Amino acid sequence: MTSADGGQRELILRVATRLFAALGYDATSISQIAEAAGMDVATLTQRAGGKRELYLAVMERAHHAELAGLERSVGEIAAAAPGEASAAVHHLIDDYIDFCAQNSEFPALWMHRWLFDASDVTELDRQYVQPLVQYVTEALEPLTRGSPDMKYVIWSVIWCTHAFSRGGVLDDEGNRVGPEDPETLRRFRAYLHEMVHCVLTLPGDLPENAI
């Protein structure tokens, strides 16, 4: 593959990510992607394959970006001394919030799947989501002494963060605001820290950004 071909493929993946995130897989056509990328369908399929192949590539790319964003903080939990474990959990929360706020198209891709978008593409949840949830579960379980249902703790963080990154909340005037507003992001971050800290009964005080 030449550098020009690689540049075109990267452009196609960025455009397809944006359209799949905005419209969902089922409502996005290959011709829409080609038009938005500034090329004809034949060129697009030559560079990146058909719609299904392109969707699989987009979802793989999103997964690897998310995994890369979490590996450091999950590793920090595993390596933490007993007195540092709570801080490491809070770093994980911050990293996940920041990832979703800065890459809101990736949560949108999964939220479409929650609504049964691309229901004929069945392997992605088993291939990407289940191992990632298990990866975080195994890192956190030693801290819980077996009391909370860790699977639902993790899913609660996922549900809240994905929804906040895409839909935000209503302010006192009824306007929708989200992570682009610093104070709204601060309050959401503080809430999620407090929720996880209390559910897991972590030792020590909440971090300053959770007050």
Side-chain angles (χ1 to χ4, degrees):
M1 180 184 292
T2 67
S3 59
D5 290 342
Q8 276 196 319
R9 179 174 171 78
E10 177 61 25
L11 170 65
I12 293 166
L13 286 173
R14 289 201 308 269
V15 168
T17 299
R18 188 178 75 244
L19 289 173
F20 288 144
L23 305 176
Y25 174 82
D26 294 334
T28 301
S29 68
I30 197 73
S31 59
Q32 285 175 304
I33 299 171
E35 181 179 359
M39 61 186 69
D40 57 40
V41 172
T43 301
L44 183 143
T45 54
Q46 181 183 11
R47 296 286 183 265
K51 178 180 167 181
R52 183 186 177 93
E53 290 77 19
L54 189 52
Y55 181 68
L56 293 175
V58 164
M59 297 304 289
E60 180 182 18
R61 191 166 177 257
H63 167 71
H64 286 303
E66 184 174 7
L67 180 60
L70 294 178
E71 278 182 325
R72 180 191 64 82
S73 48
V74 172
E76 187 179 309
I77 293 171
E84 301 170 344
S86 292
V89 173
H90 288 293
H91 290 165
L92 172 63
I93 295 169
D94 279 332
D95 283 352
Y96 191 65
I97 292 171
D98 290 340
F99 175 82
C100 290
Q102 295 163 12
N103 304 275
S104 63
E105 290 174 339
F106 293 161
L109 293 168
W110 289 108
M111 290 176 75
H112 279 295
R113 292 189 64 80
W114 296 352
L115 299 173
F116 303 102
D117 183 55
S119 59
D120 59 320
V121 185
T122 59
E123 66 270 28
L124 296 181
D125 299 87
R126 288 190 297 273
Q127 186 175 357
Y128 297 139
V129 179
Q130 191 171 14
L132 194 59
V133 169
Q134 185 63 30
Y135 174 52
V136 178
T137 298
E138 290 173 358
L140 293 179
E141 275 182 338
L143 308 178
T144 68
R145 298 180 296 278
S147 50
D149 189 327
M150 185 55 64
K151 179 178 180 179
Y152 280 94
V153 173
I154 293 170
W155 273 106
S156 293
V157 172
I158 293 171
W159 293 327
C160 289
T161 308
H162 281 208
F164 175 75
S165 70
R166 295 300 297 179
V169 296
L170 298 181
D171 65 14
D172 293 340
E173 287 73 43
N175 301 308
R176 191 171 294 278
V177 291
E180 72 285 348
D181 177 68
E183 176 60 13
T184 301
L185 179 59
R186 185 200 68 77
R187 290 179 64 186
F188 175 74
R189 191 187 301 276
Y191 168 74
L192 210 59
H193 277 291
E194 184 174 11
M195 181 187 80
V196 173
H197 196 92
C198 292
V199 169
L200 297 184
T201 60
L202 295 175
D205 297 328
L206 287 165
E208 290 184 7
N209 65 354
I211 299 173

